[in-house]
Amino acid sequence: MTFLRFMAPAAALLASVLPLTANAPAHALPGPAAGTPALAATTDPACRTTATAPLDAEQARLADPRTTALTERSGLGDFVRRFPAALCTARTAGEAADLVDAWGEALWWSAVHRAQGRRTAGTLAPGDDRPLYWVRLAMTVQLARWEPGFTVDRAALRVRFEDASRGLADNGFTGSPGVRRVFISGFDPFGLDAEIRRANPSGSAALRLNGRRVTLADGTRAEIRAVLLPVRYADFDRGIVERAFAPRMTAGPRAADLVTTVSQGYPGIFTLEEWAGRSRSADPYPDNTGTLSGGTYERPVTAPGMGPGAEFIRTTLPADAITAAVQSPYPVLLNAAVTEIPAGGSEPVDREDGPTPGSRAVAGGGGGYLSNEVAYRSNRLRLELAPALPGGHLHTPVLTGLPADPQQLTGPDFERNETAIADEIRAVLERAAAAGTATGAVPEAATAKGVKPSAASALR
């Protein structure tokens, strides 16, 4: 049994929920192969599901009917409805692995094409990142409840599905001559216990930009590729950042020319973070599963699986080009703030001008949460694999504009703000790519003053 057997039903689903235009990218999934059996004909009658599989705190939020509404109003609901039957077509562990790969990739590309206007189904704005999050999460519950007639490694299958549905698989640069390559990461929505309707503009930008080619100020072209990362400590511990970035840092015609992580940060401004810190220190703020990092400002900790590196890593993105030229509709500032425990000291100290020699990292410009950690992990790996590669972290403004009525999922202000942030991220990337590898001096007027990492703002 081949991978194509599982690609065909997933591709058929992709076609049914996602009418593509004639200029759809070449990496769209293939159509069903001739002679592929119908889904029902290959379903194992002994295959069943159980409702007793335990749910984590993230999955349990699916009980809120607004999450179903976000799924259905996106036009992606068939993924949830048809995935259980698809799972029952697998008859071995190897076939199960192929199947979750195929369905994960189909979901990713459906969300990308939707965000880029290549579909007509659904009533939510195309760039809304929330449907992908809730559809993926519902499918992980179905995977956990599946009871095949053979032994499977459920944890490994979920990792494969998550990676594929987040852009980590079959999402490489084309390697076209003369086209610069920009690689970014965004994040899932978070803080959902306080407001389950929340979105994440970094995720929206990742979907809108993945696979896009843009024209730079000097007339050259750049290709952007993106991945979406979970707001979960355990996935970071298991190396999802390194899995995402390492292939783009390996020398060759498909290696990135510039990398940056992106997350949601401070109200009303973009910040280019000058420093990423090695430590976790965001407790008592949990991740999306309700898990704490184990680190506080008074007692920072180093994450499991972290490779060797300095306490702080400085950005090598062209800060002057970014902050001097891209300022609309939000200002873009360089943030040099960190929190450290000075050499010989025992108490955390906030600094606006970067770390001092020999200090212990408490928080970088992105605080002590996963937005700081993704910056540190990716740039630690960059220094190991491709030290000349420009890299850093960009914080977006906080996305606002949700309607006051909690039953209204979207509104014009929300959609306009999410689009404005995504458009300015694109402008930042275009300016950074055009500047090449040079890291210029930082203009004083573009430096963020008084921006301080905190567990309530620059977490993401």
Side-chain angles (χ1 to χ4, degrees):
M1 196 60 60
T2 66
F3 181 67
L4 182 58
R5 174 176 166 233
F6 305 110
M7 286 291 284
L13 175 59
L14 177 63
S16 71
V17 301
L18 183 64
L20 297 180
T21 62
N23 61 350
H27 49 244
L29 291 174
T36 300
L39 188 62
T42 59
T43 299
D44 182 354
C47 178
R48 57 195 177 96
T49 61
T50 176
T52 61
L55 305 182
D56 62 31
E58 188 174 29
Q59 294 169 326
R61 295 189 190 100
L62 290 163
D64 190 309
R66 289 172 293 180
T67 67
T68 302
L70 284 166
T71 295
E72 292 302 320
R73 288 184 58 183
S74 69
L76 299 178
D78 275 351
F79 277 94
V80 180
R81 283 185 286 274
R82 295 175 61 178
F83 190 47
L87 287 169
C88 288
T89 65
R91 294 190 287 268
T92 67
E95 290 184 2
D98 288 344
L99 186 144
V100 298
D101 286 346
W103 279 73
E105 289 175 26
L107 176 59
W108 168 253
W109 287 114
S110 292
V112 167
H113 294 324
R114 179 182 182 279
Q116 296 179 15
R118 297 190 182 97
R119 61 176 303 279
T120 57
T123 59
L124 290 177
D128 197 321
D129 65 302
R130 297 172 295 176
L132 172 59
Y133 173 75
W134 293 111
V135 170
R136 181 196 301 115
L137 200 59
M139 293 172 74
T140 67
V141 173
Q142 293 168 333
L143 184 59
R145 290 176 171 173
W146 175 43
E147 291 190 343
F150 50 89
T151 301
V152 294
D153 184 337
R154 293 185 186 276
L157 286 178
R158 178 163 179 180
V159 168
R160 293 182 74 113
F161 174 73
E162 291 262 359
D163 281 4
S165 64
R166 294 179 176 280
L168 273 72
D170 190 28
N171 191 24
F173 291 106
T174 57
S176 300
V179 177
R180 300 180 196 178
R181 299 170 295 277
V182 177
F183 183 69
I184 68 171
S185 67
F187 270 111
D188 286 347
F190 64 95
L192 299 168
D193 287 331
E195 173 54 86
I196 203 162
R197 298 176 297 165
R198 279 181 177 156
N200 194 320
S202 69
S204 176
L207 293 173
R208 295 174 196 237
L209 294 175
N210 185 66
R212 291 279 194 183
R213 288 196 178 181
V214 297
T215 301
L216 307 180
D218 61 3
T220 60
R221 301 278 282 168
E223 178 184 351
I224 302 171
R225 292 285 166 169
V227 294
L228 263 174
L229 299 174
V231 185
R232 297 190 297 248
Y233 287 115
D235 293 76
F236 275 54
D237 295 346
R238 290 191 292 263
I240 191 170
V241 176
E242 290 78 6
R243 290 200 307 278
F245 280 83
R248 281 82 181 186
M249 295 177 178
T250 303
R254 299 192 178 187
D257 295 310
L258 180 144
V259 298
T260 187
T261 52
V262 186
S263 64
Q264 183 174 231
Y266 302 100
I269 60 171
F270 277 89
T271 53
L272 178 61
E273 305 303 342
E274 187 168 1
W275 299 96
R278 186 172 173 81
S279 298
R280 291 176 176 172
S281 59
D283 293 355
Y285 196 93
D287 69 6
N288 272 352
T289 66
T291 302
L292 297 175
S293 72
T296 65
Y297 265 38
E298 291 70 30
R299 297 181 185 276
V301 298
T302 300
M306 187 82 78
E311 287 294 305
F312 291 96
I313 298 176
R314 193 173 196 171
T315 184
T316 54
L317 293 176
D320 57 343
I322 293 171
T323 60
V326 185
Q327 296 289 326
S328 178
Y330 302 96
V332 183
L333 309 175
L334 185 76
N335 180 24
V338 300
T339 302
E340 65 176 14
I341 297 176
S346 59
E347 299 295 326
V349 175
D350 295 327
R351 298 184 58 87
E352 292 187 7
D353 55 353
T356 56
S359 66
R360 167 78 190 277
V362 175
Y369 195 54
L370 291 172
S371 62
N372 169 77
E373 187 169 326
V374 73
Y376 186 90
R377 283 182 178 268
S378 61
N379 282 283
R380 191 210 67 79
L381 189 66
R382 175 182 61 78
L383 291 173
E384 179 181 306
L385 299 179
L389 179 67
H393 185 82
L394 181 70
H395 263 127
T396 78
V398 172
L399 177 58
T400 59
L402 281 170
D405 181 351
Q407 297 307 312
Q408 291 186 15
L409 301 180
T410 188
D413 290 343
F414 173 80
E415 294 172 9
R416 182 168 50 250
N417 292 342
E418 189 163 48
T419 296
I421 292 172
D423 287 347
E424 193 161 344
I425 290 172
R426 174 173 172 168
V428 167
L429 297 177
E430 290 174 350
R431 178 62 59 173
T437 59
T439 303
V442 179
E444 181 65 22
T447 302
K449 298 297 185 182
V451 177
K452 175 182 173 182
S454 72
S457 56
L459 290 174
R460 284 70 69 181

